[in-house]
Amino acid sequence: MSQQLSVIGTGVIGNGWIARALARGWDVVAFDPDPEAPRRTRAFVENAWESLTRQGLAEGASPERLRFAESLEAAVEGADLIQENVPERLSLKREILTALDAAANPDILIGSSTSGFKPSDLQQDCTRAPGRVIVAHPFNPVYLLPLVELVGGDATTPEEITRARDYYQALAMRPLVVRREIEGHIADRLMEALWREALHLVNDGVATTEEIDAAVIYGCGLRWSLMGTFLTFHLAGGEPGMRHMLEQFGPALKLPWTKLEAPELTTQLIDRVVEGCEHQAAGRSVAELDRRRDEFLVELLGLAQKYWPEAEGLEGRI
């Protein structure tokens, strides 16, 4: 029996969910009030389909299993899972999630793709079944990257989180259940710290955007795709491991190397960042760069999956 994902909001993230679900053989019903949304979504899926095909499609997978509904209420009819992806404004998300809570069968889970808001804040105006409204935060490109952060709110039960894990695993994702609510969840807080430091380096004239990206691409980024931060530093301690690393390098954490607050986004800094990125893009369109990134990720995922644990979620040792 086929499953249906209902997608509300079809920007980059919403379209990424659509492409992933179609590739897994799901039916997808989407809603977006923008009249141009169907055209943009179908172009997005077409651009992603080659990479998804190389990665491996589920039986019955087809872009033809996508349709657009004329209203939010019609979009959630028959849904097995609902994914909300409207712009990152708390008032707007509450409005849409409240409407979804009123329209959808009360046992249907509603995942929000929010990168920063806490689920208890999102559930606040939902009165029918607020616990089923959770954070289900993916990473771009959603159709290739498997991580999804799952966060329950005050009204969410452990059983609802368990059901959510099952659904997202059925979409070939690796759910990470966040132990407690916090703004920005886990991964985005880490990425924001690196992003702030990178902006300082550009602002202070230490490096260009290209040089900073090179530092990640040819250095730490390669290690992080397998081991992440902590296990990487564990190896840096040699045979004694993390304890020795902390004894040797821990004092350096007190040195004023980093700048915790983001720099002021002055016109000069914005120009430097924009000009640097345009130089790196070298005239290539975003669609071209998307395809280049996707081709790389498909090959990288094929390699990385040989070394990842077999655990269904993220409970195993990485």
Side-chain angles (χ1 to χ4, degrees):
M1 181 178 177
S2 64
Q3 293 182 293
Q4 176 184 313
L5 177 68
S6 293
V7 175
I8 310 301
T10 58
V12 171
I13 299 301
N15 284 338
W17 280 114
I18 289 171
R20 173 175 281 273
L22 292 171
R24 297 306 304 165
W26 286 41
D27 294 315
V28 178
V29 181
F31 172 72
D32 192 305
D34 187 342
E36 285 295 301
R39 180 192 61 78
R40 285 200 307 266
T41 294
R42 296 187 191 283
F44 184 101
V45 171
E46 181 180 359
N47 196 54
W49 203 252
E50 180 180 350
S51 294
L52 287 165
T53 301
R54 291 182 57 212
Q55 191 181 38
L57 300 174
E59 184 178 354
S62 170
E64 300 304 315
R65 297 181 72 166
L66 164 67
R67 67 178 177 85
F68 270 77
E70 295 185 358
S71 68
L72 179 148
E73 291 77 14
V76 301
E77 290 181 11
D80 293 287
L81 178 66
I82 300 169
Q83 192 72 29
E84 170 272 312
N85 317 277
V86 302
E88 207 60 2
R89 298 197 302 273
L90 183 57
S91 60
L92 176 61
K93 284 191 175 289
R94 279 180 176 167
E95 176 187 346
I96 297 301
L97 289 167
T98 300
L100 289 170
D101 179 53
N105 189 303
D107 63 350
I108 303 302
L109 289 163
I110 302 172
S112 173
S113 295
T114 179
S115 60
F117 297 130
K118 295 192 294 185
S120 290
D121 293 333
L122 300 175
Q123 296 172 349
Q124 188 169 318
D125 298 328
C126 299
T127 58
R128 193 179 188 198
R132 46 83 172 266
V133 177
I134 65 169
V135 167
H137 173 232
F139 295 83
N140 187 42
V142 181
Y143 53 90
L144 292 180
L145 296 185
L147 183 64
V148 58
E149 295 177 310
L150 301 181
V151 196
D154 290 338
T156 305
T157 65
E159 291 74 20
E160 286 167 319
I161 291 295
T162 298
R163 284 203 297 131
R165 285 177 53 187
D166 291 343
Y167 274 117
Y168 289 103
Q169 285 170 356
L171 286 168
M173 304 200 81
R174 293 178 73 93
L176 171 59
V177 177
V178 180
R179 294 173 182 268
R180 64 183 180 89
E181 294 183 84
I182 187 172
E183 292 88 349
H185 324 313
I186 296 174
D188 269 10
R189 292 176 74 95
L190 297 173
M191 290 189 292
E192 285 290 336
L194 181 61
W195 173 234
R196 287 192 295 268
E197 192 64 24
L199 288 175
H200 275 294
L201 292 171
V202 173
N203 193 52
D204 295 345
V206 174
T208 66
T209 61
E210 187 170 16
E211 291 161 350
I212 292 168
D213 282 357
V216 175
I217 293 168
Y218 304 116
C220 54
L222 289 170
R223 299 185 305 201
W224 287 342
S225 64
L226 176 63
M227 291 187 174
T229 304
F230 282 97
L231 198 55
T232 292
F233 281 141
H234 179 65
L235 270 61
E239 194 60 34
M242 178 61 83
R243 187 170 299 279
H244 178 64
M245 196 286 297
L246 289 173
E247 291 170 351
Q248 185 171 359
F249 299 107
L253 295 173
K254 295 293 185 180
L255 296 177
W257 287 354
T258 62
K259 305 191 179 184
L260 297 179
E261 293 186 4
E264 187 71 28
L265 281 177
T266 63
T267 300
Q268 182 183 43
L269 176 55
I270 291 172
D271 288 344
R272 284 183 180 178
V273 172
V274 171
E275 290 167 8
C277 291
E278 288 176 348
H279 173 74
Q280 288 178 257
R284 291 169 292 186
S285 69
V286 169
E288 289 177 283
L289 292 171
D290 278 348
R291 288 192 295 272
R292 181 173 182 268
R293 175 203 62 197
D294 292 354
E295 184 177 353
F296 169 79
L297 285 175
V298 169
E299 293 188 24
L300 179 62
L301 285 165
L303 173 63
Q305 286 167 357
K306 296 179 182 178
Y307 295 88
W308 283 347
E310 293 298 322
E312 291 182 339
L314 291 175
E315 299 79 27
R317 296 187 181 93
I318 295 177

